[in-house]
Amino acid sequence: MEETEKAERKKVILSGIQPTGVFTLGNYIGAVKNWGKMQDEYHCAYFIADLHSLTIRQDPAALRRQSLDAFALLLACGIDPEKSLVFIQSHVPTHSELSWVLSCYTQFGELSRMTQFKDKSARHADNVNAGLFTYPALMAADILLYQADMVPVGDDQRQHLEFTRDIATRFNNLYGSTFKLPEAYIPKAGARVMSLQEPTKKMSKSDENQNAFITILDEPNVIINKFKRAVTDSEKEVRFSEGKDGINNLMTIYSVFTGKTMEQIEAEFEGKGYGDFKLAVGEVVVEEPREVRENFKRYIADKAYLEQVYRAGAEKAAAISARTMTKVKKKVGLLASL
Ligand code: TRP
């Protein structure tokens, strides 16, 4: 953004999602559904973070298919390309370019402290590659290129956002104001949807137990059955309290879909068993995934349309991000070619 536009400009929101598997109910209510709601109020940019997925070995054909699926799914969840900038990260070369420059302003020690790096390198001990290590520099590039004000992310990405602010501050101190300092935007309701089988763990699409998560493309009967099998506790009361992780999680989900408070939910299910409650949760959840699934089927059947949308997105993203990239190159002393 130009200096003079700053005062009245709409805030810029940016977020990315990796194309590894269909979004879970957790991704949907904790992230993508809210992304849709912000489109009128802000300048929004949402992208498929396919480059980040390369840090773990992928099957090439599957990654291509999943990237297109994830893109179609963003649209199916209500991200409107007329309102928001939507694109695929690898289509916009400035991301890799800025990532390299930022990695030269990043210390080994600070990347070593990233908890996600520690977790992932323990889980993939046979492939602790340099990309896994410099992952946060790429994420910082994604954000800083667009001068984002706010970045909706889950709790697990909070540290990467702190890192982004640190790098931006360091760069600005060295070269003068270049990057906007982004804030994390952690949604209140439904920010953390937990596993239906081990409710102390976050719901994850990479869980081996299929009953632990619901995807946004699950059929209604599958959704109902997964809720019926959800782990609760040995009491009988639908009550929100410490130690009742399973019930707390189900109440949170029910609350997000009905708008009811915990007190109202407790009153509604007073004297009723967990069986009735679990069924009720399933029934309020099924409707939105049904719509998303129908939209998804429509989009994924129309490859030409998807192509047209992601090409236009890439072009626009390239133009916007080039403004920041040009400034950065000049500041660090790279000789201009144009
Ligand atoms: N690392 C994020 C995740 O795995 C995805 C991501 C990549 C992202 N770049 C981003 C999120 C920039 C927000 C902003 O969830």
Side-chain angles (χ1 to χ4, degrees):
M1 296 284 148
E2 293 305 315
E3 219 65 34
T4 48
E5 286 172 30
K6 260 183 193 158
E8 20 4 316
R9 77 174 186 146
K10 274 192 195 176
K11 289 211 148 100
V12 175
I13 300 258
L14 172 138
S15 199
I17 192 160
Q18 290 197 42
T20 39
V22 174
F23 310 158
T24 64
L25 190 69
N27 298 134
Y28 178 70
I29 59 183
V32 184
K33 184 180 161 139
N34 296 315
W35 295 2
K37 289 192 197 146
M38 296 190 275
Q39 296 179 107
D40 293 314
E41 207 176 327
Y42 304 104
H43 280 305
C44 297
Y46 301 122
F47 65 95
I48 304 302
D50 56 348
L51 293 172
H52 277 108
S53 302
L54 295 181
T55 56
I56 287 165
R57 197 65 68 237
Q58 303 288 341
D59 173 61
L63 182 59
R64 267 192 288 275
R65 195 186 56 245
Q66 287 173 348
S67 296
L68 192 66
D69 280 358
F71 191 78
L73 208 45
L74 273 188
L75 305 186
C77 289
I79 305 301
D80 178 353
E82 298 288 314
K83 295 182 183 164
S84 299
L85 174 61
V86 273
F87 63 95
I88 294 175
Q89 186 187 30
S90 66
H91 294 178
V92 189
T94 43
H95 290 244
S96 309
E97 223 180 336
L98 182 59
S99 170
W100 171 257
V101 175
L102 295 180
S103 73
C104 298
Y105 293 81
T106 300
Q107 298 304 306
F108 185 87
E110 55 191 341
L111 291 178
S112 311
R113 284 193 293 276
M114 294 289 139
T115 52
Q116 191 173 80
F117 172 69
K118 289 192 243 174
D119 289 352
K120 286 194 181 169
S121 45
R123 267 191 284 136
H124 304 274
D126 56 335
N127 185 21
V128 184
N129 60 74
L132 195 62
F133 191 61
T134 58
Y135 179 116
L138 177 59
M139 183 156 160
D142 296 338
I143 297 167
L144 299 177
L145 276 172
Y146 300 87
Q147 307 290 345
D149 294 277
M150 282 192 288
V151 182
V153 280
D155 248 349
D156 59 328
Q157 299 295 322
R158 209 189 263 272
Q159 198 184 22
H160 292 159
L161 206 73
E162 266 319 303
F163 166 81
T164 303
R165 291 170 57 91
D166 290 346
I167 295 297
T169 307
R170 185 173 308 157
F171 199 96
N172 289 348
N173 287 341
L174 278 168
Y175 300 108
S177 174
T178 311
F179 298 125
K180 176 107 207 174
L181 289 196
E183 308 269 346
Y185 180 89
I186 316 253
K188 296 150 244 116
R192 254 173 107 72
V193 175
M194 311 306 279
S195 156
L196 297 183
Q197 292 297 314
E198 282 176 77
T200 50
K201 267 180 30 189
K202 190 176 153 185
M203 181 182 280
S204 161
K205 56 195 168 193
S206 47
D207 204 308
E208 275 155 34
N209 185 346
Q210 296 285 318
N211 284 322
F213 61 94
I214 285 173
T215 86
I216 199 65
L217 296 180
D218 280 347
E219 302 276 348
N221 62 322
V222 173
I223 296 178
I224 303 265
N225 280 327
K226 286 182 181 175
F227 276 115
K228 278 191 190 160
R229 294 192 195 110
V231 167
T232 50
D233 53 59
S234 55
E235 301 179 3
K236 298 201 264 310
E237 259 176 287
V238 176
R239 184 166 46 83
F240 194 93
S241 70
E242 199 163 333
K244 291 173 75 75
D245 301 304
I247 287 295
N248 293 349
N249 187 37
L250 295 175
M251 287 179 77
T252 302
I253 296 170
Y254 193 74
S255 161
V256 168
F257 281 88
T258 58
K260 292 179 183 163
T261 64
M262 296 305 166
E263 293 73 38
Q264 288 170 322
I265 300 170
E266 286 169 1
E268 184 177 349
F269 291 95
E270 204 181 323
K272 294 188 185 146
Y274 285 170
D276 288 341
F277 177 53
K278 290 201 264 186
L279 186 63
V281 179
E283 281 169 350
V284 296
V285 168
V286 293
E287 221 26 67
E288 280 185 50
R290 194 200 304 276
E291 282 172 36
V292 172
R293 208 175 51 251
E294 280 164 15
N295 293 338
F296 174 76
K297 281 189 191 152
R298 221 166 3 100
Y299 286 123
I300 205 67
D302 193 350
K303 300 279 188 298
Y305 173 74
L306 291 175
E307 250 175 59
Q308 180 201 320
V309 175
Y310 68 60
R311 283 200 187 132
E315 215 172 288
K316 207 165 141 199
I320 296 173
S321 60
R323 294 183 220 160
T324 303
M325 197 62 228
T326 304
K327 270 193 212 163
V328 168
K329 283 179 161 172
K330 190 167 169 198
K331 292 195 172 188
V332 300
L334 300 173
L335 184 65
S337 66
L338 297 173

